[in-house]
Amino acid sequence: MSRKNHQKIDGRLLRTDKRMGHLKQKQIEKISDWLYEAYQMHYQTLNRPPDKRHIRAIVNAAYDKIEAADIWIPL
């Protein structure tokens, strides 16, 4: 049985089962840097490491930069 794992979205053929390993190395590095920056920002704001309650805000801050850089990852 063949499984379709690509969709045409906004005129671009995109892989719908994409994982971190499918990204280019530079994209992975950028995302890691953005996550680290967001983590550091929360750390400096709270004066302690962020806990589970702050994870969503950290990920959202990084995801905004991912979208701005036009890196497509499925949700």
Side-chain angles (χ1 to χ4, degrees):
M1 179 197 295
S2 177
R3 197 168 95 182
K4 187 175 180 178
N5 60 358
H6 288 81
Q7 287 184 347
K8 197 149 195 143
I9 299 172
D10 295 330
R12 296 171 34 193
L13 187 63
L14 301 174
R15 185 176 183 153
T16 57
D17 66 343
K18 191 180 242 185
R19 297 177 188 232
M20 191 73 150
H22 294 123
L23 296 173
K24 297 175 186 169
Q25 186 62 36
K26 285 185 178 184
Q27 292 173 325
I28 293 170
E29 290 170 4
K30 282 182 184 179
I31 292 170
S32 295
D33 289 344
W34 293 329
L35 286 167
Y36 181 74
E37 288 171 6
Y39 180 90
Q40 283 298 105
M41 183 185 73
H42 276 77
Y43 185 89
Q44 291 172 354
T45 303
L46 301 170
N47 292 323
R48 61 180 172 77
D51 57 20
K52 287 189 236 180
R53 296 173 292 170
H54 302 101
I55 297 299
R56 184 172 297 274
I58 292 169
V59 171
N60 286 340
Y63 195 76
D64 290 342
K65 292 182 180 183
I66 291 169
E67 286 183 328
D70 204 28
I71 299 173
W72 189 81
I73 53 175
L75 297 173

Coordinates of all heavy atoms in Angstrom, one line a residue:
M1 N 0.8 -1.2 0.0 CA 0.0 0.0 0.0 C 0.9 1.2 0.0 O 1.8 1.4 0.8 CB -0.9 0.0 1.2 CG -1.8 1.2 1.3 SD -2.5 1.6 2.9 CE -3.6 0.2 3.1
S2 N 0.6 2.1 -0.9 CA 1.4 3.4 -1.0 C 0.8 4.5 -0.2 O -0.5 4.6 -0.2 CB 1.5 3.8 -2.5 OG 2.1 5.0 -2.6
R3 N 1.6 5.2 0.5 CA 1.1 6.3 1.4 C 1.5 7.6 0.8 O 2.7 7.8 0.6 CB 1.6 6.0 2.8 CG 0.8 6.8 3.8 CD 1.2 6.3 5.2 NE 2.2 7.2 5.6 CZ 2.9 7.1 6.8 NH1 2.6 6.1 7.6 NH2 3.8 7.9 7.2
K4 N 0.6 8.5 0.6 CA 0.9 9.8 0.1 C 1.4 10.7 1.3 O 0.8 10.9 2.3 CB -0.3 10.4 -0.5 CG 0.0 11.7 -1.2 CD -1.2 12.3 -1.9 CE -0.9 13.5 -2.6 NZ -2.0 14.1 -3.3
N5 N 2.7 11.2 1.1 CA 3.3 12.0 2.2 C 3.7 13.3 1.7 O 4.6 14.0 2.3 CB 4.4 11.2 2.9 CG 5.5 10.9 1.9 OD1 5.4 11.2 0.8 ND2 6.6 10.3 2.4
H6 N 3.1 13.8 0.6 CA 3.4 15.1 0.0 C 2.1 15.8 -0.3 O 1.1 15.1 -0.7 CB 4.3 15.0 -1.2 CG 5.7 14.6 -0.9 ND1 6.1 13.3 -0.7 CD2 6.8 15.4 -0.8 CE1 7.4 13.3 -0.5 NE2 7.8 14.5 -0.6
Q7 N 2.1 17.1 -0.1 CA 0.9 17.9 -0.5 C 1.4 19.1 -1.2 O 2.4 19.7 -0.9 CB 0.1 18.3 0.7 CG -0.7 17.2 1.4 CD -1.5 17.8 2.5 OE1 -1.4 18.9 3.0 NE2 -2.5 17.0 3.0
K8 N 0.6 19.6 -2.1 CA 0.9 20.9 -2.8 C 0.2 22.0 -2.0 O -1.0 22.1 -1.9 CB 0.3 20.9 -4.2 CG 0.9 21.9 -5.1 CD 1.0 21.5 -6.5 CE 1.9 22.4 -7.2 NZ 2.8 21.8 -8.2
I9 N 1.0 22.8 -1.4 CA 0.5 23.9 -0.5 C 1.1 25.2 -1.0 O 2.4 25.3 -1.1 CB 0.9 23.7 1.0 CG1 0.2 22.4 1.5 CG2 0.5 24.9 1.8 CD1 0.7 22.0 2.8
D10 N 0.3 26.2 -1.4 CA 0.8 27.5 -1.9 C 1.7 27.3 -3.1 O 2.7 28.0 -3.3 CB 1.5 28.3 -0.8 CG 0.5 28.7 0.3 OD1 -0.7 28.9 0.0 OD2 1.0 28.9 1.4
G11 N 1.4 26.3 -4.0 CA 2.2 26.1 -5.2 C 3.5 25.4 -4.9 O 4.3 25.2 -5.9
R12 N 3.7 24.9 -3.7 CA 4.9 24.2 -3.4 C 4.6 22.8 -3.0 O 3.7 22.6 -2.2 CB 5.7 24.9 -2.3 CG 6.2 26.3 -2.6 CD 6.7 27.1 -1.5 NE 7.4 26.4 -0.5 CZ 7.7 26.9 0.7 NH1 7.4 28.1 1.0 NH2 8.4 26.1 1.6
L13 N 5.4 21.8 -3.4 CA 5.2 20.5 -3.0 C 5.9 20.3 -1.7 O 7.2 20.4 -1.6 CB 5.8 19.5 -4.1 CG 5.5 18.0 -3.8 CD1 4.0 17.8 -3.9 CD2 6.2 17.2 -4.9
L14 N 5.2 20.0 -0.6 CA 5.7 19.9 0.7 C 5.5 18.5 1.3 O 4.5 17.9 1.1 CB 5.1 20.9 1.6 CG 5.3 22.4 1.2 CD1 4.5 23.3 2.1 CD2 6.7 22.8 1.2
R15 N 6.5 18.0 2.0 CA 6.4 16.7 2.7 C 5.6 16.9 4.0 O 6.0 17.6 4.9 CB 7.9 16.2 3.0 CG 7.9 14.9 3.5 CD 9.4 14.5 3.7 NE 9.4 13.1 4.1 CZ 10.4 12.3 3.9 NH1 11.4 12.7 3.2 NH2 10.4 11.0 4.4
T16 N 4.6 16.0 4.1 CA 3.7 16.2 5.3 C 4.2 15.3 6.5 O 3.7 15.5 7.6 CB 2.3 15.7 4.9 OG1 2.3 14.4 4.4 CG2 1.7 16.7 3.9
D17 N 5.1 14.4 6.3 CA 5.6 13.6 7.4 C 7.1 14.1 7.8 O 7.9 13.3 8.3 CB 5.6 12.1 7.1 CG 6.5 11.8 6.0 OD1 7.0 12.6 5.2 OD2 6.8 10.5 5.8
K18 N 7.4 15.3 7.6 CA 8.7 15.8 7.8 C 9.1 15.8 9.3 O 8.3 16.1 10.1 CB 8.8 17.3 7.3 CG 10.2 17.9 7.2 CD 10.1 19.3 6.7 CE 10.8 19.4 5.4 NZ 10.9 20.8 4.9
R19 N 10.3 15.4 9.5 CA 10.9 15.4 10.9 C 12.1 16.3 10.9 O 12.6 16.7 9.9 CB 11.2 14.0 11.3 CG 10.0 13.1 11.4 CD 10.3 11.7 11.7 NE 9.1 10.9 11.6 CZ 8.7 10.1 12.5 NH1 9.3 10.0 13.6 NH2 7.6 9.4 12.3
M20 N 12.6 16.5 12.1 CA 13.8 17.3 12.3 C 15.0 16.8 11.4 O 15.7 17.6 10.8 CB 14.2 17.4 13.7 CG 15.3 18.4 14.1 SD 14.6 20.0 14.0 CE 15.6 20.8 15.2
G21 N 15.1 15.5 11.3 CA 16.2 14.9 10.5 C 16.1 15.2 9.0 O 17.1 15.1 8.3
H22 N 14.9 15.6 8.5 CA 14.7 15.9 7.1 C 15.1 17.3 6.8 O 15.2 17.7 5.6 CB 13.2 15.7 6.7 CG 12.8 14.2 6.8 ND1 11.8 13.8 7.6 CD2 13.3 13.1 6.3 CE1 11.6 12.5 7.5 NE2 12.6 12.1 6.7
L23 N 15.3 18.2 7.8 CA 15.7 19.5 7.5 C 17.2 19.6 7.2 O 18.0 18.7 7.5 CB 15.5 20.4 8.8 CG 14.1 20.6 9.2 CD1 14.0 21.3 10.5 CD2 13.2 21.3 8.2
K24 N 17.6 20.7 6.5 CA 19.0 20.9 6.2 C 19.8 21.2 7.5 O 19.2 21.8 8.5 CB 19.2 22.0 5.2 CG 18.5 21.7 3.9 CD 18.6 22.9 3.0 CE 17.8 22.6 1.7 NZ 17.6 23.8 0.9
Q25 N 21.0 20.9 7.5 CA 21.8 21.2 8.7 C 21.8 22.6 9.2 O 21.6 22.9 10.4 CB 23.3 20.7 8.5 CG 24.1 20.8 9.8 CD 23.6 19.9 10.9 OE1 23.2 18.8 10.6 NE2 23.7 20.3 12.1
K26 N 21.8 23.6 8.3 CA 21.8 25.0 8.6 C 20.4 25.4 9.2 O 20.3 26.2 10.1 CB 22.0 25.9 7.4 CG 23.5 25.9 7.0 CD 23.7 26.9 5.8 CE 25.1 27.0 5.5 NZ 25.4 28.0 4.4
Q27 N 19.3 24.7 8.7 CA 18.0 25.0 9.3 C 17.9 24.5 10.7 O 17.4 25.1 11.6 CB 16.9 24.3 8.4 CG 16.8 25.0 7.1 CD 15.8 24.2 6.2 OE1 15.8 23.0 6.3 NE2 15.1 24.9 5.4
I28 N 18.5 23.3 11.0 CA 18.5 22.7 12.3 C 19.3 23.6 13.3 O 18.8 23.8 14.4 CB 19.1 21.3 12.3 CG1 18.2 20.3 11.5 CG2 19.4 20.7 13.7 CD1 18.8 19.0 11.2
E29 N 20.4 24.1 12.8 CA 21.2 25.0 13.7 C 20.5 26.3 14.0 O 20.6 26.7 15.1 CB 22.6 25.3 13.0 CG 23.5 24.1 12.9 CD 24.7 24.3 12.0 OE1 24.9 25.4 11.5 OE2 25.5 23.3 11.9
K30 N 19.8 26.8 13.0 CA 19.1 28.1 13.2 C 18.0 27.8 14.3 O 17.8 28.6 15.2 CB 18.4 28.6 11.9 CG 19.3 29.3 11.0 CD 18.5 29.8 9.8 CE 19.4 30.4 8.8 NZ 18.6 30.8 7.6
I31 N 17.2 26.8 14.1 CA 16.1 26.5 15.0 C 16.7 26.3 16.4 O 16.1 26.8 17.4 CB 15.3 25.2 14.5 CG1 14.6 25.6 13.3 CG2 14.4 24.8 15.6 CD1 13.9 24.4 12.5
S32 N 17.8 25.5 16.6 CA 18.4 25.3 17.9 C 18.8 26.6 18.5 O 18.6 26.9 19.7 CB 19.6 24.4 17.7 OG 19.2 23.1 17.3
D33 N 19.4 27.5 17.7 CA 19.8 28.8 18.2 C 18.6 29.6 18.7 O 18.7 30.3 19.7 CB 20.6 29.6 17.1 CG 22.0 29.0 16.8 OD1 22.5 28.3 17.6 OD2 22.5 29.4 15.8
W34 N 17.5 29.6 17.9 CA 16.3 30.4 18.3 C 15.7 29.8 19.6 O 15.3 30.6 20.4 CB 15.3 30.4 17.1 CG 15.8 31.1 15.9 CD1 16.6 32.2 15.9 CD2 15.4 30.8 14.6 NE1 16.8 32.6 14.6 CE2 16.1 31.8 13.8 CE3 14.6 29.9 14.0 CZ2 16.0 31.8 12.4 CZ3 14.5 29.9 12.6 CH2 15.2 30.8 11.8
L35 N 15.7 28.5 19.7 CA 15.2 27.9 20.9 C 16.1 28.3 22.1 O 15.6 28.7 23.2 CB 15.1 26.4 20.8 CG 14.0 25.9 20.0 CD1 14.2 24.4 19.7 CD2 12.6 26.1 20.6
Y36 N 17.4 28.3 21.9 CA 18.3 28.7 23.0 C 18.1 30.2 23.4 O 18.1 30.5 24.6 CB 19.8 28.4 22.6 CG 20.8 28.8 23.6 CD1 20.9 28.0 24.7 CD2 21.5 30.0 23.5 CE1 21.9 28.3 25.7 CE2 22.4 30.3 24.5 CZ 22.6 29.5 25.6 OH 23.5 29.8 26.6
E37 N 18.0 31.0 22.4 CA 17.8 32.5 22.6 C 16.5 32.7 23.4 O 16.5 33.5 24.4 CB 17.7 33.2 21.3 CG 19.0 33.4 20.6 CD 18.8 34.0 19.2 OE1 17.7 34.4 18.8 OE2 19.8 34.0 18.5
A38 N 15.4 32.0 23.1 CA 14.1 32.2 23.8 C 14.3 31.6 25.2 O 13.7 32.2 26.1 CB 13.0 31.4 23.0
Y39 N 15.0 30.5 25.4 CA 15.2 30.0 26.7 C 16.0 31.0 27.6 O 15.7 31.2 28.7 CB 16.0 28.6 26.6 CG 16.3 28.0 27.9 CD1 15.4 27.1 28.5 CD2 17.4 28.3 28.6 CE1 15.6 26.5 29.7 CE2 17.7 27.7 29.8 CZ 16.8 26.8 30.4 OH 17.0 26.2 31.6
Q40 N 17.1 31.5 27.0 CA 17.9 32.5 27.7 C 17.1 33.7 28.1 O 17.3 34.3 29.2 CB 19.1 32.9 26.8 CG 20.2 31.9 26.8 CD 20.8 31.6 28.2 OE1 20.5 30.6 28.8 NE2 21.6 32.5 28.7
M41 N 16.2 34.2 27.2 CA 15.4 35.4 27.5 C 14.5 35.1 28.7 O 14.4 35.9 29.6 CB 14.6 35.7 26.3 CG 13.7 37.0 26.5 SD 12.6 37.3 25.1 CE 11.4 36.1 25.3
H42 N 13.9 33.9 28.7 CA 13.0 33.6 29.9 C 13.9 33.4 31.1 O 13.4 33.8 32.2 CB 12.2 32.3 29.6 CG 11.0 32.6 28.8 ND1 11.0 32.8 27.5 CD2 9.7 32.6 29.2 CE1 9.7 33.0 27.1 NE2 8.9 32.9 28.1
Y43 N 15.0 32.8 31.0 CA 15.9 32.6 32.1 C 16.3 34.0 32.8 O 16.2 34.1 34.0 CB 17.2 31.9 31.7 CG 18.1 31.5 32.9 CD1 17.9 30.3 33.5 CD2 19.1 32.4 33.3 CE1 18.8 30.0 34.6 CE2 19.9 32.1 34.3 CZ 19.8 30.9 35.0 OH 20.6 30.6 36.1
Q44 N 16.6 34.9 31.9 CA 17.0 36.3 32.4 C 15.8 37.0 33.0 O 16.0 37.7 34.0 CB 17.6 37.1 31.3 CG 19.0 36.6 30.9 CD 19.5 37.2 29.6 OE1 18.9 38.1 29.0 NE2 20.8 36.9 29.3
T45 N 14.6 36.8 32.5 CA 13.4 37.4 33.0 C 13.0 36.9 34.3 O 12.7 37.6 35.3 CB 12.3 37.2 32.0 OG1 12.6 37.8 30.7 CG2 11.0 37.9 32.5
L46 N 13.1 35.6 34.5 CA 12.7 34.9 35.7 C 13.8 34.8 36.8 O 13.5 34.5 37.9 CB 12.3 33.5 35.4 CG 11.1 33.3 34.4 CD1 10.9 31.9 34.0 CD2 9.8 33.8 35.0
N47 N 15.1 35.0 36.4 CA 16.2 34.8 37.2 C 16.3 33.4 37.8 O 16.8 33.1 38.9 CB 16.2 35.8 38.4 CG 16.4 37.2 37.9 OD1 17.2 37.4 37.0 ND2 15.7 38.1 38.5
R48 N 15.8 32.5 37.0 CA 15.9 31.0 37.3 C 15.5 30.3 36.0 O 14.9 30.9 35.1 CB 15.0 30.6 38.4 CG 13.6 30.8 38.2 CD 12.7 30.4 39.3 NE 11.3 30.8 39.2 CZ 10.4 30.2 38.4 NH1 10.8 29.2 37.7 NH2 9.2 30.7 38.3
P49 N 15.9 29.0 35.9 CA 15.5 28.3 34.7 C 14.0 28.2 34.5 O 13.3 28.0 35.5 CB 16.1 26.9 34.9 CG 17.1 27.0 36.0 CD 16.7 28.2 36.8
P50 N 13.5 28.3 33.3 CA 12.1 28.2 33.0 C 11.6 26.8 33.3 O 12.3 25.8 33.1 CB 11.9 28.5 31.6 CG 13.2 28.8 31.0 CD 14.2 28.6 32.1
D51 N 10.4 26.7 33.8 CA 9.8 25.3 34.0 C 8.8 25.0 33.0 O 8.7 25.7 32.0 CB 9.2 25.2 35.5 CG 8.2 26.3 35.7 OD1 7.6 26.8 34.8 OD2 7.9 26.6 36.9
K52 N 8.0 23.9 33.2 CA 7.1 23.4 32.2 C 6.1 24.5 31.8 O 5.6 24.5 30.6 CB 6.3 22.2 32.8 CG 7.1 21.0 32.9 CD 6.1 19.8 33.3 CE 6.6 19.2 34.6 NZ 5.7 18.1 35.0
R53 N 5.7 25.4 32.7 CA 4.7 26.4 32.3 C 5.2 27.3 31.3 O 4.4 28.0 30.6 CB 4.3 27.2 33.6 CG 3.6 26.3 34.7 CD 3.4 27.1 35.9 NE 4.8 27.4 36.5 CZ 5.0 28.2 37.5 NH1 4.0 28.9 38.0 NH2 6.2 28.4 37.9
H54 N 6.5 27.5 31.1 CA 7.0 28.4 30.1 C 7.5 27.8 28.8 O 7.8 28.5 27.9 CB 8.2 29.1 30.8 CG 7.9 29.8 32.1 ND1 8.2 29.2 33.3 CD2 7.3 31.0 32.3 CE1 7.8 30.0 34.2 NE2 7.2 31.1 33.7
I55 N 7.4 26.5 28.7 CA 7.8 25.8 27.5 C 7.0 26.3 26.2 O 7.6 26.6 25.2 CB 7.7 24.3 27.6 CG1 8.6 23.8 28.7 CG2 8.0 23.6 26.3 CD1 10.1 24.1 28.5
R56 N 5.7 26.4 26.4 CA 4.9 26.8 25.2 C 5.3 28.2 24.7 O 5.5 28.5 23.5 CB 3.4 26.8 25.6 CG 2.6 27.2 24.4 CD 1.1 27.0 24.7 NE 0.7 25.6 25.0 CZ 0.4 24.7 24.0 NH1 0.5 25.0 22.8 NH2 0.0 23.5 24.4
A57 N 5.6 29.2 25.6 CA 6.1 30.5 25.2 C 7.4 30.4 24.5 O 7.7 31.2 23.5 CB 6.1 31.4 26.4
I58 N 8.3 29.6 25.0 CA 9.6 29.4 24.4 C 9.5 28.9 23.0 O 10.1 29.4 22.0 CB 10.5 28.5 25.3 CG1 10.9 29.3 26.6 CG2 11.8 28.1 24.5 CD1 11.5 28.4 27.6
V59 N 8.7 27.8 22.8 CA 8.5 27.2 21.5 C 7.8 28.2 20.6 O 8.2 28.3 19.4 CB 7.7 25.9 21.6 CG1 7.3 25.4 20.3 CG2 8.5 24.9 22.4
N60 N 6.8 28.9 21.0 CA 6.1 29.9 20.2 C 7.0 31.0 19.7 O 7.0 31.4 18.5 CB 4.9 30.5 20.9 CG 3.8 29.5 21.0 OD1 3.7 28.6 20.3 ND2 2.9 29.8 22.0
A61 N 7.9 31.5 20.6 CA 8.9 32.5 20.2 C 9.8 32.0 19.1 O 10.1 32.7 18.1 CB 9.7 32.9 21.3
A62 N 10.3 30.7 19.2 CA 11.1 30.1 18.2 C 10.3 29.9 16.9 O 10.8 30.1 15.8 CB 11.7 28.9 18.7
Y63 N 9.1 29.4 17.0 CA 8.3 29.1 15.9 C 7.9 30.3 15.0 O 7.9 30.3 13.8 CB 7.0 28.4 16.3 CG 6.3 27.7 15.1 CD1 6.8 26.5 14.6 CD2 5.2 28.3 14.5 CE1 6.2 26.0 13.5 CE2 4.6 27.7 13.4 CZ 5.1 26.5 12.9 OH 4.5 26.0 11.8
D64 N 7.8 31.5 15.7 CA 7.6 32.7 14.9 C 8.8 33.0 14.0 O 8.6 33.4 12.9 CB 7.4 33.9 15.9 CG 6.0 33.8 16.6 OD1 5.1 33.1 16.1 OD2 5.9 34.5 17.6
K65 N 10.0 32.7 14.5 CA 11.2 32.9 13.7 C 11.3 31.9 12.6 O 11.8 32.2 11.5 CB 12.4 32.9 14.6 CG 12.5 34.1 15.5 CD 13.7 34.1 16.3 CE 13.7 35.3 17.2 NZ 14.9 35.4 18.0
I66 N 10.8 30.7 12.9 CA 10.8 29.6 11.8 C 9.9 30.0 10.7 O 10.3 29.9 9.5 CB 10.4 28.3 12.5 CG1 11.4 27.7 13.4 CG2 10.1 27.2 11.4 CD1 11.0 26.6 14.3
E67 N 8.7 30.5 11.0 CA 7.8 30.9 10.0 C 8.4 32.1 9.2 O 8.2 32.2 8.0 CB 6.5 31.3 10.6 CG 5.7 30.1 11.0 CD 4.3 30.5 11.5 OE1 4.2 31.5 12.2 OE2 3.4 29.7 11.3
A68 N 9.0 33.0 9.9 CA 9.6 34.2 9.2 C 10.7 33.8 8.3 O 10.9 34.4 7.2 CB 10.1 35.2 10.2
A69 N 11.4 32.8 8.6 CA 12.5 32.3 7.8 C 12.0 31.4 6.7 O 12.8 30.9 5.9 CB 13.5 31.5 8.6
D70 N 10.7 31.1 6.6 CA 10.1 30.3 5.6 C 10.6 28.9 5.6 O 10.8 28.2 4.6 CB 10.3 30.9 4.2 CG 9.2 30.4 3.2 OD1 8.1 30.1 3.6 OD2 9.5 30.4 2.0
I71 N 10.8 28.4 6.8 CA 11.1 26.9 7.0 C 9.8 26.2 7.3 O 9.1 26.6 8.3 CB 12.1 26.8 8.2 CG1 13.4 27.5 7.9 CG2 12.4 25.3 8.4 CD1 14.4 27.5 9.1
W72 N 9.4 25.3 6.5 CA 8.2 24.6 6.6 C 8.3 23.4 7.4 O 9.1 22.5 7.1 CB 7.5 24.3 5.3 CG 6.1 23.9 5.4 CD1 5.0 24.6 5.6 CD2 5.7 22.5 5.4 NE1 3.9 23.9 5.7 CE2 4.3 22.5 5.6 CE3 6.3 21.3 5.3 CZ2 3.5 21.4 5.7 CZ3 5.5 20.2 5.3 CH2 4.1 20.2 5.5
I73 N 7.6 23.3 8.5 CA 7.5 22.0 9.3 C 6.0 21.8 9.6 O 5.3 22.7 10.0 CB 8.4 22.0 10.6 CG1 8.0 23.2 11.4 CG2 9.8 22.0 10.2 CD1 8.8 23.2 12.8
P74 N 5.6 20.5 9.5 CA 4.1 20.3 9.8 C 3.9 20.3 11.3 O 4.8 20.1 12.1 CB 3.9 18.9 9.2 CG 5.2 18.2 9.2 CD 6.2 19.4 9.0
L75 N 2.7 20.7 11.7 CA 2.3 20.7 13.1 C 1.8 19.4 13.5 O 1.3 18.6 12.9 CB 1.3 21.8 13.4 CG 1.9 23.2 13.1 CD1 0.8 24.2 13.2 CD2 3.0 23.6 14.0

